[in-house]
Amino acid sequence: MNIRQTRNFLARVPFNTLLGMRLRRVHRDGITLDCALRDDLRNSVGVAHGGVTAAMADAAVGIALQRHFGGKRRIATVELKINYFHQ
């Protein structure tokens, strides 16, 4: 998959578009996504809601796998675990 195809793949999922995910960079072994942190994506203390970061991690893995297989295989992420720590 080239960069244009990768961007199109990202945009095919309405939830990714809802969050405003954008492809920032393509690496040899993965991708970088970002999204603008809107007020409706913040939690009660004003930082990114954990669901936003989890969704972005899930999308990044799925899209990186699609790129790895050249878009020729159907893939799905099946498990996600994220631990959040207070600094």
Side-chain angles (χ1 to χ4, degrees):
M1 292 175 76
N2 62 36
I3 292 174
R4 181 184 54 77
Q5 290 170 316
T6 304
R7 279 196 176 101
N8 289 342
F9 185 79
L10 173 67
R12 277 199 330 226
V13 178
F15 187 69
N16 296 345
T17 303
L18 178 69
L19 291 182
M21 289 186 205
R22 298 174 297 201
L23 179 66
R24 261 305 159 214
R25 188 167 167 214
V26 173
H27 310 272
R28 179 183 59 77
D29 60 348
I31 65 167
T32 299
L33 298 177
D34 74 6
C35 78
L37 186 56
R38 307 181 314 254
D39 286 341
D40 61 336
L41 299 179
R42 297 177 189 273
N43 65 17
S44 62
V45 296
V47 299
H49 186 281
V52 173
T53 57
M56 290 185 68
D58 183 62
V61 168
I63 294 165
L65 284 169
Q66 279 291 348
R67 283 186 52 79
H68 176 76
F69 291 115
K72 295 178 181 150
R73 296 182 72 175
R74 296 185 79 183
I75 61 105
T77 57
V78 295
E79 185 174 0
L80 173 70
K81 179 179 182 194
I82 295 181
N83 295 305
Y84 298 98
F85 295 98
H86 178 66
Q87 294 182 342

